[in-house]
Amino acid sequence: MHGKELVEPIPGRRLTVDHKRGLIFAGTGSASFDFYGGNRKGQNLYANCVLALDALTGKRKWHYQTVHHDLWDRDLPTPPLLVSVSHNGKQTDAVAQLTKSGYVFLFDRDTGEPLFPIEEIPVPASDLAGEETWPTQPIPQKPPPFARQVFADSMINRVTPEIEASVREKFKNLRTGRQFIPPSKEGTIIFPGFDGGAEWGGLRLIHNRDPLRECQRNAVDPNDGGCSHK
Protein backbone atom coordinates (compact mmCIF):
# COMPACT_ATOMS: atom_id res chain seq x y z
CA MET A 1 0.00 0.00 0.00
CA HIS A 2 1.49 3.33 -1.07
CA GLY A 3 -0.27 6.67 -0.67
CA LYS A 4 -3.85 6.44 -1.92
CA GLU A 5 -3.38 3.24 -3.92
CA LEU A 6 -5.75 0.35 -3.20
CA VAL A 7 -4.79 -3.28 -3.02
CA GLU A 8 -6.68 -5.12 -5.74
CA PRO A 9 -9.11 -7.83 -4.59
CA ILE A 10 -7.19 -10.82 -5.97
CA PRO A 11 -8.01 -14.45 -5.14
CA GLY A 12 -6.54 -15.11 -1.73
CA ARG A 13 -6.77 -18.91 -1.62
CA ARG A 14 -6.40 -21.88 -3.95
CA LEU A 15 -8.26 -21.97 -7.25
CA THR A 16 -10.81 -24.66 -8.11
CA VAL A 17 -10.95 -26.16 -11.62
CA ASP A 18 -13.89 -27.82 -13.37
CA HIS A 19 -12.04 -29.67 -16.14
CA LYS A 20 -15.20 -30.79 -17.93
CA ARG A 21 -16.53 -27.23 -18.28
CA GLY A 22 -13.17 -25.53 -18.65
CA LEU A 23 -13.97 -23.22 -15.74
CA ILE A 24 -11.86 -21.85 -12.91
CA PHE A 25 -13.56 -20.79 -9.67
CA ALA A 26 -12.00 -18.37 -7.21
CA GLY A 27 -12.92 -16.47 -4.07
CA THR A 28 -11.49 -12.96 -3.88
CA GLY A 29 -10.15 -10.90 -1.00
CA SER A 30 -11.43 -7.63 0.40
CA ALA A 31 -10.41 -4.14 -0.70
CA SER A 32 -8.13 -2.06 1.51
CA PHE A 33 -8.37 -0.74 4.08
CA ASP A 34 -9.93 -3.61 6.01
CA PHE A 35 -12.03 -1.59 8.46
CA TYR A 36 -12.49 1.79 6.77
CA GLY A 37 -13.84 2.42 3.28
CA GLY A 38 -14.11 6.19 3.05
CA ASN A 39 -11.52 6.03 0.26
CA ARG A 40 -13.48 3.44 -1.76
CA LYS A 41 -17.14 4.41 -2.12
CA GLY A 42 -19.68 1.91 -3.49
CA GLN A 43 -19.94 -1.89 -3.51
CA ASN A 44 -16.25 -2.42 -4.36
CA LEU A 45 -16.58 -5.01 -7.12
CA TYR A 46 -14.87 -7.46 -7.52
CA ALA A 47 -13.84 -7.73 -3.90
CA ASN A 48 -15.45 -10.45 -1.75
CA CYS A 49 -16.69 -12.28 -4.87
CA VAL A 50 -17.06 -15.80 -6.11
CA LEU A 51 -15.70 -15.68 -9.66
CA ALA A 52 -16.21 -18.16 -12.50
CA LEU A 53 -13.61 -17.69 -15.25
CA ASP A 54 -13.04 -19.31 -18.64
CA ALA A 55 -9.87 -21.35 -18.13
CA LEU A 56 -8.60 -20.71 -21.69
CA THR A 57 -9.29 -16.99 -22.02
CA GLY A 58 -9.55 -15.77 -18.43
CA LYS A 59 -12.84 -14.04 -19.27
CA ARG A 60 -15.42 -13.74 -16.52
CA LYS A 61 -18.42 -16.05 -16.93
CA TRP A 62 -20.26 -14.94 -13.78
CA HIS A 63 -19.66 -13.53 -10.34
CA TYR A 64 -21.47 -13.09 -7.04
CA GLN A 65 -20.47 -10.65 -4.31
CA THR A 66 -20.94 -12.09 -0.81
CA VAL A 67 -20.21 -8.80 1.06
CA HIS A 68 -20.75 -5.27 -0.26
CA HIS A 69 -18.27 -2.55 0.74
CA ASP A 70 -16.50 -4.80 3.22
CA LEU A 71 -15.66 -3.17 6.58
CA TRP A 72 -15.16 -6.40 8.55
CA ASP A 73 -12.22 -8.16 6.86
CA ARG A 74 -14.63 -10.66 5.32
CA ASP A 75 -12.40 -11.85 2.46
CA LEU A 76 -13.43 -15.29 1.24
CA PRO A 77 -11.31 -17.67 3.31
CA THR A 78 -11.75 -20.96 1.48
CA PRO A 79 -11.56 -22.03 -2.16
CA PRO A 80 -14.94 -22.77 -3.77
CA LEU A 81 -15.97 -26.43 -3.61
CA LEU A 82 -17.50 -28.29 -6.55
CA VAL A 83 -20.52 -30.27 -5.38
CA SER A 84 -23.51 -32.07 -6.88
CA VAL A 85 -26.72 -31.52 -4.92
CA SER A 86 -30.30 -32.67 -5.18
CA HIS A 87 -32.30 -29.54 -5.96
CA ASN A 88 -35.90 -29.25 -7.19
CA GLY A 89 -36.04 -32.97 -7.88
CA LYS A 90 -32.84 -33.26 -9.91
CA GLN A 91 -29.09 -33.40 -9.44
CA THR A 92 -27.45 -30.02 -10.01
CA ASP A 93 -23.74 -29.34 -10.41
CA ALA A 94 -23.06 -26.51 -7.99
CA VAL A 95 -20.38 -24.42 -6.30
CA ALA A 96 -20.33 -24.07 -2.52
CA GLN A 97 -18.63 -21.04 -0.96
CA LEU A 98 -18.20 -20.67 2.79
CA THR A 99 -17.65 -17.28 4.43
CA LYS A 100 -16.13 -15.83 7.58
CA SER A 101 -19.65 -14.84 8.66
CA GLY A 102 -20.59 -18.52 8.86
CA TYR A 103 -22.72 -18.72 5.69
CA VAL A 104 -22.80 -21.26 2.87
CA PHE A 105 -23.60 -19.83 -0.58
CA LEU A 106 -24.64 -22.40 -3.21
CA PHE A 107 -24.63 -21.49 -6.91
CA ASP A 108 -25.44 -23.25 -10.16
CA ARG A 109 -22.03 -23.98 -11.63
CA ASP A 110 -22.93 -22.91 -15.17
CA THR A 111 -25.03 -19.80 -14.59
CA GLY A 112 -24.10 -18.55 -11.13
CA GLU A 113 -27.75 -18.49 -10.10
CA PRO A 114 -28.24 -19.12 -6.36
CA LEU A 115 -29.83 -22.50 -5.60
CA PHE A 116 -31.61 -21.04 -2.59
CA PRO A 117 -32.96 -17.53 -1.94
CA ILE A 118 -30.47 -14.87 -0.89
CA GLU A 119 -32.02 -11.79 0.69
CA GLU A 120 -30.49 -8.34 0.73
CA ILE A 121 -30.97 -7.44 4.39
CA PRO A 122 -30.79 -3.79 5.56
CA VAL A 123 -27.80 -3.18 7.84
CA PRO A 124 -26.81 -0.25 10.11
CA ALA A 125 -25.19 2.83 8.62
CA SER A 126 -21.81 4.09 9.79
CA ASP A 127 -21.48 7.25 11.85
CA LEU A 128 -17.76 7.66 11.10
CA ALA A 129 -16.75 10.73 9.12
CA GLY A 130 -16.38 9.98 5.40
CA GLU A 131 -17.64 6.41 5.63
CA GLU A 132 -20.58 5.29 3.47
CA THR A 133 -21.69 1.77 4.28
CA TRP A 134 -23.63 -0.17 1.67
CA PRO A 135 -27.28 -0.23 2.86
CA THR A 136 -27.81 -4.00 2.51
CA GLN A 137 -25.87 -7.25 2.76
CA PRO A 138 -26.70 -10.61 1.09
CA ILE A 139 -27.79 -13.30 3.56
CA PRO A 140 -28.50 -16.84 2.28
CA GLN A 141 -31.77 -18.24 3.62
CA LYS A 142 -30.56 -21.84 3.21
CA PRO A 143 -28.56 -23.67 4.46
CA PRO A 144 -28.62 -22.21 7.99
CA PRO A 145 -25.41 -20.58 9.29
CA PHE A 146 -22.83 -23.07 10.57
CA ALA A 147 -21.38 -20.57 13.09
CA ARG A 148 -22.99 -18.55 15.87
CA GLN A 149 -24.16 -15.16 14.61
CA VAL A 150 -24.27 -12.99 17.73
CA PHE A 151 -21.98 -12.57 20.73
CA ALA A 152 -24.30 -12.15 23.71
CA ASP A 153 -23.56 -11.33 27.33
CA SER A 154 -24.48 -14.92 28.22
CA MET A 155 -21.30 -16.00 26.39
CA ILE A 156 -18.94 -13.91 28.54
CA ASN A 157 -16.14 -15.89 30.18
CA ARG A 158 -16.93 -16.80 33.79
CA VAL A 159 -13.69 -18.56 34.66
CA THR A 160 -13.29 -16.17 37.61
CA PRO A 161 -15.54 -13.42 39.01
CA GLU A 162 -12.80 -10.86 38.32
CA ILE A 163 -12.48 -11.81 34.65
CA GLU A 164 -16.24 -11.80 34.19
CA ALA A 165 -16.59 -8.37 35.80
CA SER A 166 -13.77 -6.93 33.67
CA VAL A 167 -15.26 -8.25 30.42
CA ARG A 168 -18.77 -7.10 31.32
CA GLU A 169 -17.51 -3.60 32.01
CA LYS A 170 -16.01 -3.43 28.50
CA PHE A 171 -18.91 -5.25 26.87
CA LYS A 172 -21.62 -2.82 27.98
CA ASN A 173 -20.10 0.02 25.91
CA LEU A 174 -19.56 -1.96 22.71
CA ARG A 175 -21.90 -2.25 19.73
CA THR A 176 -23.15 -5.78 19.19
CA GLY A 177 -26.30 -7.81 18.59
CA ARG A 178 -26.19 -8.68 14.88
CA GLN A 179 -23.99 -9.18 11.82
CA PHE A 180 -22.55 -6.27 9.83
CA ILE A 181 -22.53 -3.52 12.47
CA PRO A 182 -19.92 -1.09 11.10
CA PRO A 183 -16.77 -0.17 13.03
CA SER A 184 -17.29 2.69 15.47
CA LYS A 185 -15.48 5.00 17.88
CA GLU A 186 -17.20 3.22 20.78
CA GLY A 187 -15.99 -0.15 19.55
CA THR A 188 -17.87 -2.85 17.62
CA ILE A 189 -17.88 -6.58 18.30
CA ILE A 190 -17.23 -8.43 15.05
CA PHE A 191 -18.46 -11.96 15.52
CA PRO A 192 -17.49 -14.46 14.28
CA GLY A 193 -14.04 -12.85 14.56
CA PHE A 194 -11.66 -11.72 11.82
CA ASP A 195 -10.62 -15.34 11.13
CA GLY A 196 -14.20 -16.60 10.80
CA GLY A 197 -16.46 -18.47 10.70
CA ALA A 198 -14.94 -20.53 7.93
CA GLU A 199 -11.24 -21.33 8.21
CA TRP A 200 -8.51 -21.40 5.57
CA GLY A 201 -8.35 -25.16 5.08
CA GLY A 202 -11.61 -25.39 3.16
CA LEU A 203 -14.33 -28.01 2.92
CA ARG A 204 -14.42 -31.77 2.87
CA LEU A 205 -17.29 -33.65 1.25
CA ILE A 206 -17.55 -37.44 1.03
CA HIS A 207 -20.46 -38.23 -1.25
CA ASN A 208 -23.27 -40.31 0.26
CA ARG A 209 -21.36 -40.69 3.52
CA ASP A 210 -20.69 -37.39 5.18
CA PRO A 211 -22.03 -33.88 5.60
CA LEU A 212 -19.93 -30.89 4.70
CA ARG A 213 -17.06 -30.59 7.17
CA GLU A 214 -15.24 -27.36 7.84
CA CYS A 215 -12.82 -26.06 10.46
CA GLN A 216 -14.34 -22.94 11.95
CA ARG A 217 -13.71 -20.37 14.67
CA ASN A 218 -16.27 -19.01 17.07
CA ALA A 219 -14.03 -16.41 18.69
CA VAL A 220 -14.29 -12.65 19.02
CA ASP A 221 -10.51 -12.40 18.85
CA PRO A 222 -7.96 -14.81 17.34
CA ASN A 223 -8.09 -17.92 19.51
CA ASP A 224 -7.53 -21.49 18.45
CA GLY A 225 -10.62 -22.87 16.72
CA GLY A 226 -12.02 -26.37 16.55
CA CYS A 227 -13.56 -28.45 13.80
CA SER A 228 -17.31 -28.66 13.44
CA HIS A 229 -19.61 -29.98 10.75
CA LYS A 230 -22.99 -29.35 9.17
Side-chain angles (χ1 to χ4, degrees), residues 52 59 126 138 153 160 182 229:
K59 290 184 177 180
S126 174
D153 60 359
T160 69
H229 68 273

Side-chain angles (χ1 to χ4, degrees), residues 65-86:
Q65 189 176 50
T66 60
V67 177
H68 310 315
H69 192 81
D70 187 6
L71 299 175
W72 307 272
D73 192 26
R74 291 315 201 200
D75 52 297
L76 290 176
T78 69
L81 179 70
L82 304 183
V83 297
S84 180
V85 299
S86 179

Side-chain angles (χ1 to χ4, degrees), residues 69-116:
H69 192 81
D70 187 6
L71 299 175
W72 307 272
D73 192 26
R74 291 315 201 200
D75 52 297
L76 290 176
T78 69
L81 179 70
L82 304 183
V83 297
S84 180
V85 299
S86 179
H87 180 64
N88 290 337
K90 65 177 182 179
Q91 287 298 116
T92 299
D93 289 341
V95 179
Q97 177 66 62
L98 271 70
T99 73
K100 287 183 176 181
S101 297
Y103 303 137
V104 180
F105 288 84
L106 283 165
F107 305 102
D108 183 286
R109 210 179 298 178
D110 293 308
T111 66
E113 288 296 315
L115 297 192
F116 300 104

Side-chain angles (χ1 to χ4, degrees), residues 131-153:
E131 181 60 270
E132 295 180 13
T133 48
W134 197 257
T136 62
Q137 293 294 341
I139 310 295
Q141 303 305 292
K142 290 183 180 180
F146 60 84
R148 291 176 291 183
Q149 295 294 287
V150 175
F151 186 87
D153 60 359

Side-chain angles (χ1 to χ4, degrees), residues 31-42 44 69-71 130-132:
S32 295
F33 302 102
D34 283 341
F35 308 111
Y36 181 75
N39 58 332
R40 48 177 174 87
K41 310 293 187 183
N44 302 147
H69 192 81
D70 187 6
L71 299 175
E131 181 60 270
E132 295 180 13

Side-chain angles (χ1 to χ4, degrees), residues 35-57:
F35 308 111
Y36 181 75
N39 58 332
R40 48 177 174 87
K41 310 293 187 183
Q43 285 183 295
N44 302 147
L45 286 174
Y46 289 93
N48 308 87
C49 279
V50 182
L51 295 177
L53 307 174
D54 186 297
L56 293 178
T57 66

Side-chain angles (χ1 to χ4, degrees), residues 156-169:
I156 290 174
N157 195 323
R158 293 179 173 81
V159 65
T160 69
E162 293 78 14
I163 289 176
E164 181 181 356
S166 175
V167 174
R168 285 191 180 279
E169 180 63 26

